[in-house]
Structures are given as structure tokens and as C-alpha cells.
Amino acid sequence: MDLAEIWRVMCRRWYVLLPGLLLTAALIAGVYVLVPVEYRSQSTVTLLNSKKATVAFDGNPFLSTQASLTGMADGLARNLNSDDSRADLKSQGVTGEYEAKIADNAQGPFMWLSVTGTDPAAVLKSDQVFTAYAEKRLQEFQAQQSVTAEAMIRMATIVPPQKPEAQTKTRLQYLIMAGALGFVLSLVATFFVEARRRRPGKPGRHRPGQAEATALGGTESEAVPDAADSGASASRTARASAGSSP
């Protein structure tokens, strides 16, 4: 079946295809309304060496970097993603989904703290609370190990919580899936009706009915005697001619 034939079937069965397309449009509209737009805010923080460890660098923490800071960043991220931290953050008013992880392609103890939700204002507020909680949790984590204040690892905010940005990828994927599914089902219904309505037998082949067969049979039967009579008359004429000749 070529494209021209497909187009002819669609035009011929428009009364099946049109309602399917209308239902598809309604499905897309429903997905657009039911699937809200998500917003995401993110901050970037880094872990700094302790004041005691930066004495040799005139107190500049950015000149003193150790591999242990990256390990501490990974441990802190795991702690922030734990169930206990989630309960604490929820009690402090954090809504939506949040995540703490080491920044991609980071060449140091850099962390991303992000919050995702449907309310931009609540997302920004939650990311601010989350960033402050991360620094507090870092201090508590070291205090549990009886680390002195001069030897504690510190945290600095490199990028503060940013204005929430719309994340439309997931919503767009659902819209495309709904449109494709509705269109495919409409085509399936159209060609199903077309297949049911077609008559059996090869197209273009004409099978004579009983009345036509009877008429044809009668004509042939009538034509045979006529041919026989003509042959008999010709024979008699030939014999008569032969008898009259000397």
C-alpha cells in the first residue's frame, strides 16, 4: 500500500479518523493541564580546609586543597540525601524534591545543591534553606567526631541559590507520547473499518450472478440450433445442385 492509497483510505473513512483526531487533541490538552511545569533552583558550594591547615598559606583556604576534602564532600552529600536529613528539611519547610551531589567534572570538593518543585517561589526558598542546612550539617558531622573549631572543614557558597528555571523536558515528552499514541490508534481504527467494509474477492474481478448465467446459457442454447439449421440448409442446396447438373 503506497501513500496515495493511504490518503484515499483516510479520506474515504474520514468519519472514523476525525473523531480519533479530536480525541487525540483532548488527550493532549488533558496531559497539558494535568502535568504541571516543574521548576529547578541550584546552588554551588565548596568545602574549604580548616583555619589550622591554612596557616602556612597565610590563611588562604583556596591555596590549600587536599584529597580528603573531596571524600568529605561525597560523605556530606550522602548524609544530606539520607532519610533523617529529609525529615529535618521537611520540618523546616523544604518542599519538592532535592538532591545533593558532587558537581559534574569537578576538580575539587564542589557540590551541587538543587531543589525541584512546581511552585517557583517555594523552590527558591527551599533551596536557600537547603544550602544553609548543608553548612550546619557539616559542622554537626564534625562535632560528633570531637573536631576542634580550628581544625573543622568549612563551607563556602560559590553560586547562591539561583532563580528557578522551568524544566519542560518531561512535560514535552508526555505531550509527544500522547499525540503519537492518539494518532496511531486513530489510523488503526480507520484501516480496521476499511478492511471490514471491503468486499471479499479480488478487486476488478466480476462474477456473473445466477440471472446472468441463465441468460448466457439460454443464448448459447439458442445459438446452437440456429447453427445446425444453417448447416442443414447448406447441405440440401449442395445436393440439389449436384442432382440438376448433367
Side-chain angles (χ1 to χ4, degrees):
M1 181 179 291
D2 54 7
L3 294 178
E5 180 63 20
I6 294 175
W7 175 253
R8 285 192 293 269
V9 172
M10 293 172 62
C11 293
R12 186 160 54 246
R13 306 301 175 188
W14 64 269
Y15 54 87
V16 179
L17 181 62
L18 182 59
L21 295 179
L22 293 177
L23 290 176
T24 301
L27 179 62
I28 294 175
V31 172
Y32 185 84
V33 173
L34 296 178
V35 179
V37 178
E38 291 187 341
Y39 295 87
R40 185 168 179 263
S41 176
Q42 180 176 283
S43 62
T44 303
V45 299
T46 184
L47 301 187
L48 302 178
N49 220 330
S50 64
K51 295 181 179 180
K52 187 176 182 179
T54 58
V55 173
F57 301 94
D58 295 331
N60 190 342
F62 294 100
L63 297 178
S64 174
T65 56
Q66 297 178 2
S68 59
L69 294 179
T70 303
M72 185 62 191
D74 181 67
L76 178 61
R78 296 174 186 272
N79 185 272
L80 292 175
N81 293 327
S82 65
D83 293 338
D84 293 339
S85 296
R86 290 182 183 277
D88 291 341
L89 289 170
K90 186 176 181 180
S91 64
Q92 296 182 26
V94 174
T95 59
E97 297 292 331
Y98 75 87
E99 182 183 19
K101 68 175 185 177
I102 297 179
D104 296 340
N105 301 321
Q107 297 182 357
F110 296 96
M111 296 176 57
W112 281 345
L113 307 176
S114 59
V115 177
T116 304
T118 57
D119 186 359
V123 168
L124 180 59
K125 180 65 177 178
S126 297
D127 197 18
Q128 293 172 348
V129 174
F130 185 30
T131 303
Y133 178 82
E135 184 175 3
K136 176 184 176 183
R137 196 73 185 104
L138 175 63
Q139 295 175 356
E140 292 177 352
F141 195 71
Q142 295 178 91
Q144 294 174 359
Q145 305 301 322
S146 301
V147 179
T148 61
E150 294 294 326
M152 280 189 177
I153 298 174
R154 296 167 292 171
M155 177 181 291
T157 301
I158 303 299
V159 179
Q162 298 296 290
K163 180 180 178 181
E165 296 182 354
Q167 307 294 308
T168 59
K169 181 179 180 180
T170 302
R171 191 186 198 186
L172 183 61
Q173 289 176 345
Y174 280 115
L175 291 175
I176 293 175
M177 291 173 56
L181 178 62
F183 183 72
V184 170
L185 292 179
S186 300
L187 287 181
V188 170
T190 300
F191 284 93
F192 177 77
V193 173
E194 175 68 16
R196 296 279 294 179
R197 294 297 179 87
R198 283 187 175 181
R199 296 180 179 179
K202 297 181 180 180
R205 182 178 178 180
H206 177 67
R207 295 183 177 179
Q210 184 177 0
E212 296 178 356
T214 304
L216 291 174
T219 303
E220 292 176 355
S221 61
E222 293 175 357
V224 171
D226 292 342
D229 293 343
S230 298
S233 299
S235 299
R236 289 194 295 269
T237 303
R239 287 197 297 271
S241 300
S244 60
S245 61

